[in-house]
Amino acid sequence: QVQLVESGGGLVQPGGSLRLSCAASGSIFSINTMRWYRQAPGKEREWVTTITRGLNTNYADSVKGRFTIARDNVKNTVSLQMNNLKPEDTAVYYCNANILSTGVSTVDYWGKGTLVTVSS
């Protein structure tokens, strides 16, 4: 059984910063790509950023230059540093990871999400 648990969400003023974390636990052999997604109220879930096991990264245009993804391959964690936050960044943020567990193929796992609210 594999679990992803996010933390670090909260209320922040525009221009402020937050750091989200996601920890993977359980029967994990290896973790491939890790991603963050977000879902704003009344909108579909959207991709935010990706980091490969080799630490290559990609970002959505809307967050490029403001958000930074990082991971620790030993601790099985991924983080999202969010700077210069805007009201439009308000959303539930979800961690996603492609994990090889006890089977022969990888599976995409999701966390339950953490709420980020950007408001004055």
Side-chain angles (χ1 to χ4, degrees):
Q1 196 78 332
V2 173
Q3 277 190 321
L4 297 180
V5 179
E6 302 99 335
S7 61
L11 174 64
V12 63
Q13 292 186 342
S17 298
L18 276 179
R19 183 176 183 274
L20 306 183
S21 296
C22 173
S25 62
S27 300
I28 297 171
F29 181 75
S30 66
I31 301 178
N32 298 323
T33 303
M34 304 185 83
R35 299 180 176 90
W36 286 96
Y37 287 78
R38 67 186 181 185
Q39 187 166 17
K43 295 188 177 181
E44 294 186 353
R45 189 173 299 188
E46 66 173 359
W47 168 76
V48 176
T49 180
T50 297
I51 186 167
T52 67
R53 185 168 181 82
L55 306 183
N56 294 310
T57 60
N58 276 301
Y59 297 90
D61 287 344
S62 59
V63 307
K64 201 171 292 183
R66 300 187 298 121
F67 289 11
T68 303
I69 189 171
R71 66 186 283 174
D72 185 322
N73 288 334
V74 174
K75 296 181 179 179
N76 289 336
T77 59
V78 62
S79 64
L80 183 64
Q81 178 66 42
M82 305 184 294
N83 297 328
N84 190 22
L85 283 160
K86 304 175 180 180
E88 52 263 43
D89 294 317
T90 295
V92 177
Y93 284 72
Y94 296 91
C95 173
N96 166 271
N98 186 254
I99 296 175
L100 179 62
S101 182
T102 57
V104 297
S105 58
T106 60
V107 175
D108 269 354
Y109 290 90
W110 292 86
K112 293 183 177 180
T114 185
L115 176 63
V116 172
T117 303
V118 184
S119 175
S120 54

